[in-house]
Amino acid sequence: MRRVVMICIMLMALGASRAEARLNVVCAYPWIADLTARVGGERVKTLSLSRGNWNPHFVVPRPSLIAQARDADLLIMNGAQLEIGWLPPVVRESRNARIQQGQKGLLDLSSSVTLIEIPADVSRAGGDVHPEGNPHYALDPHNIAPIAAVIASRLTLLDPEGRALYETNLSMFRADWNKRLAEWDTRFSALKGVKVVSYHTLFNYLTRRYGIVLVGTIEPLPGIPPSSRHIESLMIRSRSEKVTLFLQDVYNPSKPARMLAEKTGARMIVLPHDVDAVPAAKDIFSLFDTIAGRLGR
């Protein structure tokens, strides 16, 4: 009897350890971590290497990030060279063979979407150009469900025993997302033809999707601060084109957009680009709710 009891205890302990087993998933940005947690459920432990209100192009590769990457079973990145300035040294210095280039523990999400604005010529004369195309594809809500499916597929590859859970979670997410997507389509489509200026080419996927007219950017070239001459030219053009909105992100200086809005009679609004970029954007759903609400639709 004692032996039977011991065997039962051992089996229970083994089952508990399997239930608690998790994939350690390290994500470049908060929106990826939120999406991965929804698909992975209790079988994954996720963390983001950056914060939502940071400039996604310029994250400092601190030792703490290297330590977090060292134990990762999977590293999920935005890709399209958005992380080119900071993630490679984190991966290299982590000495984690699972997440090196070409390994199944490294997932580049940019390969699952169609990128826009791929430059015909790449040189420093064009500013901080991304040779693979505009990397801010996550701000088109139509890209999110396909990305979730890619994440589910990679989790299944690394953890075949979790397939049923990942498929169920993905199905539930898709149902919820498609319902909300129909609502966002209605709200954003009401902005068709509205003329805007943004600081950076951050919201170009959103404007293109819904027919919002991007008249220009406060940056004369990507990553290049505006000169007084450029601001003056943009002011004249904004008046001529009857721009009604200046779209400001949370990490670039807002003074130029604020001044242009005052001078032209337009409205400046601060839009989040990631989960937790502003307090209201607490997850991937409320990110788009916040964008739609601040655009006034």
Side-chain angles (χ1 to χ4, degrees):
M1 179 63 70
R2 182 179 299 176
R3 187 174 181 180
V4 171
V5 172
M6 290 299 295
I7 291 173
C8 290
I9 292 174
M10 290 174 65
L11 290 173
M12 291 174 61
L14 179 60
S17 65
R18 287 180 176 174
E20 293 172 1
R22 290 185 171 187
L23 287 177
N24 289 320
V25 184
V26 174
C27 305
Y29 302 108
W31 72 268
I32 302 175
D34 182 75
L35 192 56
T36 302
R38 292 175 184 277
V39 174
E42 66 267 20
R43 293 190 72 90
V44 304
K45 178 181 179 182
T46 62
L47 62 85
S48 172
L49 293 174
S50 63
R51 295 182 183 177
N53 61 350
W54 289 359
N55 184 333
H57 304 82
F58 304 111
V59 176
V60 179
R62 298 183 178 92
S64 59
L65 303 190
I66 296 171
Q68 290 168 345
R70 188 169 294 130
D71 296 326
D73 297 302
L74 174 62
L75 170 60
I76 309 181
M77 59 189 291
N78 183 96
Q81 298 200 16
L82 181 58
E83 301 98 336
I84 192 65
W86 64 273
L87 192 56
V90 171
V91 173
R92 183 178 62 251
E93 296 302 319
S94 73
R95 303 289 194 271
N96 183 346
R98 295 184 295 275
I99 63 172
Q100 300 302 314
Q101 190 68 38
Q103 300 302 308
K104 61 183 180 181
L106 179 64
L107 176 59
D108 181 340
L109 296 177
S110 66
S111 61
S112 63
V113 300
T114 300
L115 299 176
I116 65 174
E117 300 166 5
I118 301 173
D121 179 54
V122 179
S123 72
R124 293 306 300 171
D128 186 15
V129 177
H130 293 282
E132 296 176 16
N134 189 317
H136 304 296
Y137 57 80
L139 289 168
D140 178 350
H142 283 260
N143 283 336
I144 299 300
I147 290 171
V150 170
I151 292 173
S153 178
R154 185 57 58 93
L155 293 177
T156 300
L157 178 65
L158 295 173
D159 176 27
E161 291 183 2
R163 176 187 294 274
L165 175 67
Y166 301 142
E167 290 180 349
T168 297
N169 288 348
L170 176 62
S171 179
M172 292 173 60
F173 173 78
R174 277 174 167 162
D176 291 342
W177 190 261
N178 288 336
K179 180 180 178 181
R180 299 289 290 279
L181 183 60
E183 298 172 4
W184 293 322
D185 280 348
T186 299
R187 297 175 71 181
F188 287 129
S189 294
L191 294 160
K192 184 176 181 179
V194 170
K195 295 183 177 180
V196 304
V197 167
S198 65
Y199 189 98
H200 179 65
T201 57
L202 186 57
F203 301 101
N204 291 26
Y205 283 87
L206 185 73
T207 58
R208 177 174 294 210
R209 169 67 65 181
Y210 295 106
I212 301 168
V213 181
L214 182 65
V215 172
T217 57
I218 292 175
E219 288 179 327
L221 295 169
I224 306 300
S227 65
S228 57
R229 175 177 294 184
H230 177 71
I231 291 295
E232 182 66 27
S233 173
L234 191 57
M235 183 185 302
I236 294 171
R237 187 178 179 189
S238 297
R239 285 172 174 164
S240 174
E241 296 279 350
K242 294 182 172 55
V243 168
T244 58
L245 292 173
F246 285 85
L247 311 182
Q248 178 64 43
D249 55 73
V250 302
Y251 56 85
N252 278 307
S254 62
K255 184 176 179 180
R258 196 177 305 278
M259 184 270 290
L260 283 166
E262 291 174 354
K263 295 288 186 179
T264 61
R267 184 164 60 102
M268 187 200 85
I269 55 174
V270 177
L271 295 181
H273 67 286
D274 201 344
V275 170
D276 289 332
V278 298
K282 62 183 181 300
D283 56 35
I284 193 73
F285 286 90
S286 56
L287 170 63
F288 287 99
D289 281 339
T290 303
I291 292 173
R294 293 191 177 193
L295 284 170
R297 295 293 188 275

